[in-house]
Amino acid sequence: MRLIPASIAALSLVLVGACATPRPGSMARAEADPWESTNRQIYKFNKRADKYAFKPLAQGYRAVVPAAARRGIGNAYDNYLEPLSFANAVLQGKVSQAFRTLDRFIINSTLGVGGLADHATDMGRPREKEDFGQTFAYWGIPSGPYMMFPIFGPRTLLDFAGLGADIVLDPADMIRNALSTIGPYWTIGIFGAKATVTRAELIEAGADQALADSLDEYATVRAAYLSRRKAQIWSGIPMPDDEDAPVEDAPLAPGATPQPKPVDAPKPTQQP
């Protein structure tokens, strides 16, 4: 019975998506960063929290857990999120991608022993992550301002709303909650574990040194986040050079129909 309200909510989202504008929402407000002063203060707080809590925890994790086991843990968490990617691919009308994600989930859940091994990538099914922040943007909802959240880090206002939807409407969580009474403690534990794993991956990728070498750490983090997020929303489709690009060059949202291109009027010929 717990799945019924969530199913109704998901159906409502599909109906909204079918009526949405066919062009991903603008990120101009996020790129302008109207709340930069406050964001920089929160970034300083996050830096201190990272220095005294998250980074030492990640370093301890890397020291205790072998690299192969760390990869397995990261793979298992990614596999747990595949149903969420599948649902959002469907909501965006990306049917082929949705079935590729389903294939990936089945392969890694079986041959990969619950996702510990990523055999799907080796078989031509690389991960194609989707979340509700991407879905809302794909439906044409603007990003809103760029925000630096305590602990959660950089996001746009739209992405923060999407994070809430990810937590509430995650299909894997719905099924788990229907079969058990673990409740929110599981979500909190998973978030803490993922934060540790992600921080360890950033250390291995050399992110700390890259920030140390930058002239402005905050600006570097902002540019990297917005660039990556825009690429995720457009999912490899060539992005317009500016916000005035023709709509016909943009991807279509669920239920949208392509519009004919306007025909340029003939230019008058000049008389000698």
Side-chain angles (χ1 to χ4, degrees):
M1 296 298 294
R2 296 180 183 178
L3 295 177
I4 294 177
S7 300
I8 294 174
L11 178 60
S12 300
L13 289 174
V14 172
L15 296 176
V16 171
C19 302
T21 176
R23 185 180 183 203
S26 170
M27 296 190 71
R29 185 160 174 77
E31 291 168 343
D33 196 1
W35 300 340
E36 180 175 353
S37 179
T38 300
N39 286 336
R40 284 184 177 274
Q41 295 302 314
I42 297 175
Y43 180 77
K44 291 179 181 179
F45 167 81
N46 286 346
K47 282 282 292 183
R48 289 193 293 269
D50 179 69
K51 178 180 179 180
Y52 295 110
F54 294 109
K55 186 174 181 178
L57 187 62
Q59 290 172 326
Y61 169 74
R62 294 182 68 233
V64 173
V65 181
R70 294 200 303 271
R71 284 194 299 271
I73 293 172
N75 289 338
Y77 183 81
D78 289 343
N79 192 62
Y80 184 80
L81 293 179
E82 294 293 4
L84 181 65
S85 292
F86 171 82
N88 279 282
V90 171
L91 291 173
Q92 295 176 37
K94 301 176 181 178
V95 179
S96 297
Q97 178 179 323
F99 278 102
R100 290 196 301 270
T101 298
L102 181 60
D103 285 347
R104 176 181 170 82
F105 179 70
I106 294 173
I107 292 169
N108 284 344
S109 296
T110 54
L111 299 180
V113 192
L116 290 173
D118 183 9
H119 292 304
T121 296
D122 298 333
M123 298 171 66
R125 286 289 185 267
R127 188 177 185 221
E128 297 177 273
K129 178 182 176 295
E130 299 286 351
D131 55 52
F132 274 102
Q134 291 169 252
T135 296
F136 294 159
Y138 186 88
W139 288 351
I141 303 175
S143 68
Y146 174 79
M147 304 175 71
M148 182 65 66
F149 287 91
I151 307 302
F152 286 93
R155 291 215 189 312
T156 64
L157 182 59
L158 181 65
D159 282 339
F160 191 71
L163 176 63
D166 289 341
I167 295 173
V168 174
L169 299 175
D170 186 341
D173 281 349
M174 289 183 194
I175 296 173
R176 189 206 65 238
N177 291 336
L179 299 176
S180 68
T181 57
I182 297 177
Y185 301 106
W186 171 270
T187 301
I188 295 172
I190 287 293
F191 175 78
K194 180 57 178 175
T196 302
V197 171
T198 300
R199 188 63 183 90
E201 291 173 346
L202 289 173
I203 293 175
E204 294 172 6
D208 293 283
Q209 188 59 49
L211 287 178
D213 293 339
S214 66
L215 297 177
D216 185 341
E217 285 190 17
Y218 170 82
T220 299
V221 170
R222 179 185 60 200
Y225 174 81
L226 293 178
S227 176
R228 176 174 175 269
R229 198 58 176 157
K230 186 179 290 186
Q232 288 175 334
I233 292 168
W234 284 82
S235 300
I237 299 172
M239 290 178 286
D241 293 332
D242 54 53
E243 295 299 330
D244 296 323
V247 173
E248 61 267 20
D249 293 337
L252 295 176
T257 56
Q259 300 298 318
K261 296 183 179 181
V263 178
D264 294 333
K267 296 181 180 179
T269 57
Q270 294 181 352
Q271 297 297 327

PDB file of all heavy atoms in Angstrom, residues 104-122:
ATOM      1  N   ARG A 104      21.770  -2.918 -17.848  1.00  0.00           N
ATOM      2  CA  ARG A 104      22.933  -2.756 -16.985  1.00  0.00           C
ATOM      3  C   ARG A 104      22.632  -3.218 -15.557  1.00  0.00           C
ATOM      4  O   ARG A 104      23.442  -3.908 -14.928  1.00  0.00           O
ATOM      5  CB  ARG A 104      23.345  -1.285 -17.001  1.00  0.00           C
ATOM      6  CG  ARG A 104      24.483  -0.931 -16.072  1.00  0.00           C
ATOM      7  CD  ARG A 104      24.811   0.552 -16.118  1.00  0.00           C
ATOM      8  NE  ARG A 104      25.745   0.883 -15.054  1.00  0.00           N
ATOM      9  CZ  ARG A 104      27.053   0.699 -15.154  1.00  0.00           C
ATOM     10  NH1 ARG A 104      27.563   0.202 -16.257  1.00  0.00           N
ATOM     11  NH2 ARG A 104      27.857   1.000 -14.161  1.00  0.00           N
ATOM     12  N   PHE A 105      21.467  -2.855 -15.060  1.00  0.00           N
ATOM     13  CA  PHE A 105      21.085  -3.236 -13.699  1.00  0.00           C
ATOM     14  C   PHE A 105      20.973  -4.756 -13.569  1.00  0.00           C
ATOM     15  O   PHE A 105      21.442  -5.341 -12.585  1.00  0.00           O
ATOM     16  CB  PHE A 105      19.767  -2.570 -13.333  1.00  0.00           C
ATOM     17  CG  PHE A 105      19.263  -2.915 -11.967  1.00  0.00           C
ATOM     18  CD1 PHE A 105      19.909  -2.448 -10.835  1.00  0.00           C
ATOM     19  CD2 PHE A 105      18.130  -3.716 -11.805  1.00  0.00           C
ATOM     20  CE1 PHE A 105      19.446  -2.762  -9.562  1.00  0.00           C
ATOM     21  CE2 PHE A 105      17.660  -4.037 -10.537  1.00  0.00           C
ATOM     22  CZ  PHE A 105      18.322  -3.558  -9.420  1.00  0.00           C
ATOM     23  N   ILE A 106      20.360  -5.400 -14.537  1.00  0.00           N
ATOM     24  CA  ILE A 106      20.195  -6.860 -14.487  1.00  0.00           C
ATOM     25  C   ILE A 106      21.546  -7.562 -14.569  1.00  0.00           C
ATOM     26  O   ILE A 106      21.833  -8.506 -13.810  1.00  0.00           O
ATOM     27  CB  ILE A 106      19.269  -7.325 -15.633  1.00  0.00           C
ATOM     28  CG1 ILE A 106      17.848  -6.789 -15.408  1.00  0.00           C
ATOM     29  CG2 ILE A 106      19.256  -8.850 -15.729  1.00  0.00           C
ATOM     30  CD1 ILE A 106      16.902  -7.054 -16.564  1.00  0.00           C
ATOM     31  N   ILE A 107      22.408  -7.107 -15.488  1.00  0.00           N
ATOM     32  CA  ILE A 107      23.726  -7.729 -15.650  1.00  0.00           C
ATOM     33  C   ILE A 107      24.546  -7.617 -14.372  1.00  0.00           C
ATOM     34  O   ILE A 107      25.108  -8.605 -13.874  1.00  0.00           O
ATOM     35  CB  ILE A 107      24.476  -7.087 -16.830  1.00  0.00           C
ATOM     36  CG1 ILE A 107      23.798  -7.443 -18.154  1.00  0.00           C
ATOM     37  CG2 ILE A 107      25.943  -7.524 -16.852  1.00  0.00           C
ATOM     38  CD1 ILE A 107      24.306  -6.654 -19.342  1.00  0.00           C
ATOM     39  N   ASN A 108      24.635  -6.400 -13.828  1.00  0.00           N
ATOM     40  CA  ASN A 108      25.473  -6.199 -12.650  1.00  0.00           C
ATOM     41  C   ASN A 108      24.865  -6.796 -11.381  1.00  0.00           C
ATOM     42  O   ASN A 108      25.590  -7.166 -10.460  1.00  0.00           O
ATOM     43  CB  ASN A 108      25.753  -4.709 -12.446  1.00  0.00           C
ATOM     44  CG  ASN A 108      26.791  -4.177 -13.412  1.00  0.00           C
ATOM     45  OD1 ASN A 108      27.516  -4.952 -14.031  1.00  0.00           O
ATOM     46  ND2 ASN A 108      26.866  -2.866 -13.555  1.00  0.00           N
ATOM     47  N   SER A 109      23.543  -6.879 -11.326  1.00  0.00           N
ATOM     48  CA  SER A 109      22.906  -7.466 -10.141  1.00  0.00           C
ATOM     49  C   SER A 109      23.063  -8.983 -10.111  1.00  0.00           C
ATOM     50  O   SER A 109      23.030  -9.583  -9.038  1.00  0.00           O
ATOM     51  CB  SER A 109      21.414  -7.111 -10.108  1.00  0.00           C
ATOM     52  OG  SER A 109      21.228  -5.726  -9.970  1.00  0.00           O
ATOM     53  N   THR A 110      23.255  -9.591 -11.279  1.00  0.00           N
ATOM     54  CA  THR A 110      23.402 -11.044 -11.351  1.00  0.00           C
ATOM     55  C   THR A 110      24.864 -11.433 -11.526  1.00  0.00           C
ATOM     56  O   THR A 110      25.501 -11.942 -10.596  1.00  0.00           O
ATOM     57  CB  THR A 110      22.549 -11.599 -12.505  1.00  0.00           C
ATOM     58  OG1 THR A 110      22.880 -10.904 -13.724  1.00  0.00           O
ATOM     59  CG2 THR A 110      21.064 -11.409 -12.215  1.00  0.00           C
ATOM     60  N   LEU A 111      25.405 -11.175 -12.719  1.00  0.00           N
ATOM     61  CA  LEU A 111      26.798 -11.527 -12.968  1.00  0.00           C
ATOM     62  C   LEU A 111      27.750 -10.740 -12.071  1.00  0.00           C
ATOM     63  O   LEU A 111      28.831 -11.239 -11.720  1.00  0.00           O
ATOM     64  CB  LEU A 111      27.149 -11.263 -14.435  1.00  0.00           C
ATOM     65  CG  LEU A 111      26.348 -12.054 -15.493  1.00  0.00           C
ATOM     66  CD1 LEU A 111      26.809 -11.669 -16.893  1.00  0.00           C
ATOM     67  CD2 LEU A 111      26.487 -13.544 -15.268  1.00  0.00           C
ATOM     68  N   GLY A 112      27.353  -9.524 -11.711  1.00  0.00           N
ATOM     69  CA  GLY A 112      28.209  -8.685 -10.876  1.00  0.00           C
ATOM     70  C   GLY A 112      27.997  -8.868  -9.394  1.00  0.00           C
ATOM     71  O   GLY A 112      28.525  -8.083  -8.579  1.00  0.00           O
ATOM     72  N   VAL A 113      27.237  -9.872  -8.999  1.00  0.00           N
ATOM     73  CA  VAL A 113      27.006 -10.212  -7.584  1.00  0.00           C
ATOM     74  C   VAL A 113      26.499  -8.983  -6.819  1.00  0.00           C
ATOM     75  O   VAL A 113      27.185  -8.433  -5.951  1.00  0.00           O
ATOM     76  CB  VAL A 113      28.278 -10.778  -6.907  1.00  0.00           C
ATOM     77  CG1 VAL A 113      27.922 -11.395  -5.536  1.00  0.00           C
ATOM     78  CG2 VAL A 113      28.961 -11.791  -7.778  1.00  0.00           C
ATOM     79  N   GLY A 114      25.310  -8.548  -7.181  1.00  0.00           N
ATOM     80  CA  GLY A 114      24.715  -7.415  -6.479  1.00  0.00           C
ATOM     81  C   GLY A 114      25.316  -6.078  -6.849  1.00  0.00           C
ATOM     82  O   GLY A 114      25.080  -5.088  -6.160  1.00  0.00           O
ATOM     83  N   GLY A 115      26.087  -6.047  -7.921  1.00  0.00           N
ATOM     84  CA  GLY A 115      26.673  -4.785  -8.366  1.00  0.00           C
ATOM     85  C   GLY A 115      28.096  -4.564  -7.912  1.00  0.00           C
ATOM     86  O   GLY A 115      28.687  -3.525  -8.223  1.00  0.00           O
ATOM     87  N   LEU A 116      28.681  -5.514  -7.194  1.00  0.00           N
ATOM     88  CA  LEU A 116      30.056  -5.345  -6.734  1.00  0.00           C
ATOM     89  C   LEU A 116      31.031  -5.254  -7.908  1.00  0.00           C
ATOM     90  O   LEU A 116      32.043  -4.553  -7.836  1.00  0.00           O
ATOM     91  CB  LEU A 116      30.452  -6.503  -5.815  1.00  0.00           C
ATOM     92  CG  LEU A 116      29.761  -6.537  -4.439  1.00  0.00           C
ATOM     93  CD1 LEU A 116      30.112  -7.816  -3.700  1.00  0.00           C
ATOM     94  CD2 LEU A 116      30.153  -5.310  -3.615  1.00  0.00           C
ATOM     95  N   ALA A 117      30.727  -5.949  -8.997  1.00  0.00           N
ATOM     96  CA  ALA A 117      31.540  -5.888 -10.212  1.00  0.00           C
ATOM     97  C   ALA A 117      30.728  -5.234 -11.321  1.00  0.00           C
ATOM     98  O   ALA A 117      29.534  -5.492 -11.456  1.00  0.00           O
ATOM     99  CB  ALA A 117      31.977  -7.288 -10.630  1.00  0.00           C
ATOM    100  N   ASP A 118      31.389  -4.392 -12.092  1.00  0.00           N
ATOM    101  CA  ASP A 118      30.720  -3.678 -13.176  1.00  0.00           C
ATOM    102  C   ASP A 118      30.994  -4.383 -14.501  1.00  0.00           C
ATOM    103  O   ASP A 118      31.765  -3.900 -15.342  1.00  0.00           O
ATOM    104  CB  ASP A 118      31.200  -2.224 -13.207  1.00  0.00           C
ATOM    105  CG  ASP A 118      30.483  -1.394 -14.267  1.00  0.00           C
ATOM    106  OD1 ASP A 118      29.507  -1.906 -14.853  1.00  0.00           O
ATOM    107  OD2 ASP A 118      30.898  -0.247 -14.505  1.00  0.00           O
ATOM    108  N   HIS A 119      30.365  -5.535 -14.697  1.00  0.00           N
ATOM    109  CA  HIS A 119      30.533  -6.258 -15.953  1.00  0.00           C
ATOM    110  C   HIS A 119      29.779  -5.571 -17.093  1.00  0.00           C
ATOM    111  O   HIS A 119      30.132  -5.751 -18.265  1.00  0.00           O
ATOM    112  CB  HIS A 119      30.027  -7.700 -15.801  1.00  0.00           C
ATOM    113  CG  HIS A 119      30.863  -8.542 -14.892  1.00  0.00           C
ATOM    114  ND1 HIS A 119      32.217  -8.738 -15.075  1.00  0.00           N
ATOM    115  CD2 HIS A 119      30.542  -9.248 -13.769  1.00  0.00           C
ATOM    116  CE1 HIS A 119      32.698  -9.525 -14.126  1.00  0.00           C
ATOM    117  NE2 HIS A 119      31.697  -9.849 -13.324  1.00  0.00           N
ATOM    118  N   ALA A 120      28.739  -4.822 -16.777  1.00  0.00           N
ATOM    119  CA  ALA A 120      27.909  -4.202 -17.811  1.00  0.00           C
ATOM    120  C   ALA A 120      28.717  -3.229 -18.666  1.00  0.00           C
ATOM    121  O   ALA A 120      28.531  -3.169 -19.884  1.00  0.00           O
ATOM    122  CB  ALA A 120      26.726  -3.484 -17.167  1.00  0.00           C
ATOM    123  N   THR A 121      29.608  -2.472 -18.049  1.00  0.00           N
ATOM    124  CA  THR A 121      30.426  -1.531 -18.812  1.00  0.00           C
ATOM    125  C   THR A 121      31.293  -2.265 -19.825  1.00  0.00           C
ATOM    126  O   THR A 121      31.438  -1.837 -20.972  1.00  0.00           O
ATOM    127  CB  THR A 121      31.302  -0.691 -17.870  1.00  0.00           C
ATOM    128  OG1 THR A 121      30.447   0.107 -17.034  1.00  0.00           O
ATOM    129  CG2 THR A 121      32.223   0.230 -18.650  1.00  0.00           C
ATOM    130  N   ASP A 122      31.872  -3.401 -19.400  1.00  0.00           N
ATOM    131  CA  ASP A 122      32.696  -4.199 -20.305  1.00  0.00           C
ATOM    132  C   ASP A 122      31.872  -4.791 -21.442  1.00  0.00           C
ATOM    133  O   ASP A 122      32.419  -5.108 -22.507  1.00  0.00           O
ATOM    134  CB  ASP A 122      33.383  -5.328 -19.534  1.00  0.00           C
ATOM    135  CG  ASP A 122      34.329  -4.804 -18.464  1.00  0.00           C
ATOM    136  OD1 ASP A 122      34.848  -3.680 -18.643  1.00  0.00           O
ATOM    137  OD2 ASP A 122      34.544  -5.513 -17.460  1.00  0.00           O
TER     138      ASP A 122
END
